[in-house]
Coordinates of all heavy atoms in Angstrom, one line a residue:
L726 N 8.1 73.9 -16.5 CA 9.0 72.8 -16.2 C 8.4 71.8 -15.2 O 8.6 70.6 -15.2 CB 10.3 73.3 -15.7 CG 11.2 74.0 -16.7 CD1 12.4 74.7 -16.1 CD2 11.7 73.0 -17.8
K727 N 7.5 72.4 -14.3 CA 6.8 71.5 -13.4 C 5.9 70.6 -14.1 O 5.7 69.4 -13.7 CB 6.1 72.3 -12.3 CG 7.0 72.8 -11.2 CD 6.1 73.5 -10.1 CE 7.0 73.9 -8.9 NZ 6.2 74.5 -7.8
G728 N 5.3 71.1 -15.1 CA 4.4 70.2 -15.9 C 5.1 69.2 -16.8 O 4.7 68.1 -16.9
D729 N 6.3 69.6 -17.3 CA 7.1 68.7 -18.1 C 8.5 69.2 -18.1 O 8.9 70.1 -18.8 CB 6.6 68.7 -19.6 CG 7.4 67.8 -20.5 OD1 8.4 67.1 -20.0 OD2 7.1 67.7 -21.7
P730 N 9.4 68.6 -17.2 CA 10.8 69.1 -17.1 C 11.6 69.0 -18.4 O 12.6 69.7 -18.5 CB 11.4 68.1 -16.1 CG 10.2 67.6 -15.3 CD 9.1 67.5 -16.3
G731 N 11.2 68.3 -19.3 CA 11.9 68.2 -20.6 C 11.4 69.1 -21.7 O 11.8 69.0 -22.9
S732 N 10.4 70.0 -21.4 CA 9.8 70.8 -22.4 C 10.5 72.0 -22.7 O 10.1 72.8 -23.7 CB 8.3 71.1 -21.9 OG 8.4 71.9 -20.8
V733 N 11.6 72.3 -22.0 CA 12.4 73.5 -22.3 C 13.8 73.2 -22.5 O 14.4 72.3 -21.7 CB 12.3 74.5 -21.1 CG1 13.2 75.7 -21.3 CG2 10.8 75.0 -20.9
T734 N 14.5 73.7 -23.5 CA 15.9 73.5 -23.7 C 16.7 74.7 -23.2 O 16.4 75.8 -23.5 CB 16.2 73.2 -25.2 OG1 15.6 74.3 -26.0 CG2 15.6 71.9 -25.7
F735 N 17.7 74.3 -22.4 CA 18.6 75.4 -21.9 C 20.0 75.3 -22.6 O 20.6 74.2 -22.8 CB 18.9 75.1 -20.4 CG 17.7 75.3 -19.5 CD1 16.8 74.3 -19.2 CD2 17.4 76.6 -19.0 CE1 15.7 74.4 -18.4 CE2 16.3 76.8 -18.1 CZ 15.5 75.7 -17.8
A736 N 20.4 76.5 -23.0 CA 21.8 76.6 -23.6 C 22.8 77.0 -22.6 O 22.6 78.0 -21.9 CB 21.8 77.6 -24.8
V737 N 23.8 76.3 -22.4 CA 24.9 76.6 -21.4 C 26.3 76.5 -22.1 O 26.5 75.8 -23.1 CB 24.8 75.7 -20.2 CG1 23.5 75.8 -19.5 CG2 25.0 74.2 -20.6
A738 N 27.2 77.2 -21.5 CA 28.6 77.0 -21.9 C 29.4 77.0 -20.6 O 29.1 77.5 -19.6 CB 29.0 78.3 -22.7
A739 N 30.5 76.3 -20.6 CA 31.1 75.6 -21.7 C 31.0 74.0 -21.5 O 31.5 73.3 -22.3 CB 32.6 75.9 -21.9
A740 N 30.3 73.6 -20.4 CA 30.2 72.2 -20.2 C 29.1 71.9 -19.1 O 28.7 72.8 -18.4 CB 31.5 71.6 -19.7
L741 N 28.5 70.7 -19.1 CA 27.7 70.4 -18.0 C 28.5 70.3 -16.8 O 29.6 69.9 -16.8 CB 27.0 69.0 -18.3 CG 26.0 68.9 -19.5 CD1 25.5 67.5 -19.6 CD2 24.9 69.9 -19.3
G742 N 27.9 70.7 -15.7 CA 28.6 70.8 -14.4 C 29.3 72.1 -14.2 O 29.8 72.3 -13.1
G743 N 29.2 73.0 -15.2 CA 29.8 74.3 -15.0 C 28.8 75.3 -14.3 O 27.7 74.9 -13.9
A744 N 29.3 76.5 -14.2 CA 28.5 77.5 -13.4 C 27.1 77.7 -14.0 O 26.1 77.7 -13.2 CB 29.2 78.9 -13.5
N745 N 26.9 77.7 -15.3 CA 25.6 78.0 -15.9 C 24.6 76.8 -15.6 O 23.5 77.0 -15.3 CB 25.7 78.3 -17.3 CG 26.6 79.5 -17.6 OD1 26.5 80.5 -16.9 ND2 27.4 79.4 -18.7
H746 N 25.2 75.6 -15.7 CA 24.4 74.4 -15.5 C 24.0 74.3 -14.0 O 22.9 74.0 -13.6 CB 25.2 73.2 -15.9 CG 24.5 71.9 -15.7 ND1 25.2 70.7 -15.5 CD2 23.2 71.6 -15.6 CE1 24.3 69.7 -15.3 NE2 23.1 70.2 -15.4
I747 N 25.0 74.6 -13.1 CA 24.7 74.5 -11.7 C 23.7 75.5 -11.3 O 22.8 75.3 -10.5 CB 26.0 74.7 -10.9 CG1 26.9 73.5 -11.1 CG2 25.7 74.9 -9.4 CD1 28.3 73.6 -10.4
A748 N 23.8 76.8 -11.8 CA 22.9 77.8 -11.5 C 21.4 77.4 -11.9 O 20.5 77.7 -11.1 CB 23.3 79.1 -12.2
T749 N 21.3 76.8 -13.0 CA 20.0 76.4 -13.5 C 19.4 75.3 -12.6 O 18.3 75.3 -12.2 CB 20.1 75.9 -15.0 OG1 20.7 76.9 -15.8 CG2 18.7 75.5 -15.5
A750 N 20.3 74.3 -12.4 CA 19.8 73.1 -11.6 C 19.4 73.5 -10.2 O 18.4 73.1 -9.6 CB 20.9 72.1 -11.5
L751 N 20.2 74.4 -9.5 CA 19.9 74.8 -8.2 C 18.6 75.6 -8.1 O 17.8 75.4 -7.2 CB 21.1 75.7 -7.6 CG 22.4 74.9 -7.3 CD1 23.4 75.8 -6.7 CD2 22.1 73.8 -6.3
A752 N 18.4 76.5 -9.1 CA 17.2 77.3 -9.1 C 16.0 76.4 -9.4 O 14.9 76.5 -8.7 CB 17.2 78.3 -10.2
M753 N 16.1 75.4 -10.3 CA 14.9 74.6 -10.6 C 14.7 73.6 -9.5 O 13.5 73.2 -9.2 CB 15.1 73.9 -11.9 CG 15.1 74.8 -13.1 SD 13.7 75.8 -13.2 CE 14.3 77.4 -12.6
K754 N 15.7 73.1 -8.8 CA 15.6 72.2 -7.6 C 14.8 73.0 -6.5 O 13.9 72.4 -5.9 CB 16.9 71.8 -7.1 CG 16.9 70.8 -5.9 CD 18.3 70.3 -5.6 CE 18.2 69.3 -4.4 NZ 17.7 69.9 -3.2
A755 N 15.2 74.2 -6.3 CA 14.5 75.0 -5.3 C 13.1 75.3 -5.6 O 12.2 75.4 -4.7 CB 15.2 76.4 -5.1
A756 N 12.8 75.3 -6.9 CA 11.4 75.5 -7.4 C 10.6 74.2 -7.4 O 9.3 74.2 -7.7 CB 11.4 76.1 -8.8
G757 N 11.2 73.1 -7.1 CA 10.5 71.8 -7.1 C 10.4 71.1 -8.4 O 9.6 70.2 -8.6
V758 N 11.3 71.4 -9.3 CA 11.4 70.7 -10.6 C 12.3 69.5 -10.5 O 13.3 69.5 -9.8 CB 11.9 71.7 -11.7 CG1 12.0 71.0 -13.0 CG2 10.9 72.9 -11.8

């Protein structure tokens, strides 16, 4: 993802802004993505 943030597709339920989306975004933000 650092090389290309759009190179991986994440499947989440049940909406953007939900727990799964937030968990992904926070982890990747902490990783510098």
Side-chain angles (χ1 to χ4, degrees):
L726 291 170
K727 280 187 172 180
D729 180 1
S732 64
V733 175
T734 51
F735 291 92
V737 298
L741 292 180
N745 302 321
H746 182 207
I747 291 174
T749 307
L751 290 179
M753 293 306 102
K754 180 176 183 293
V758 175

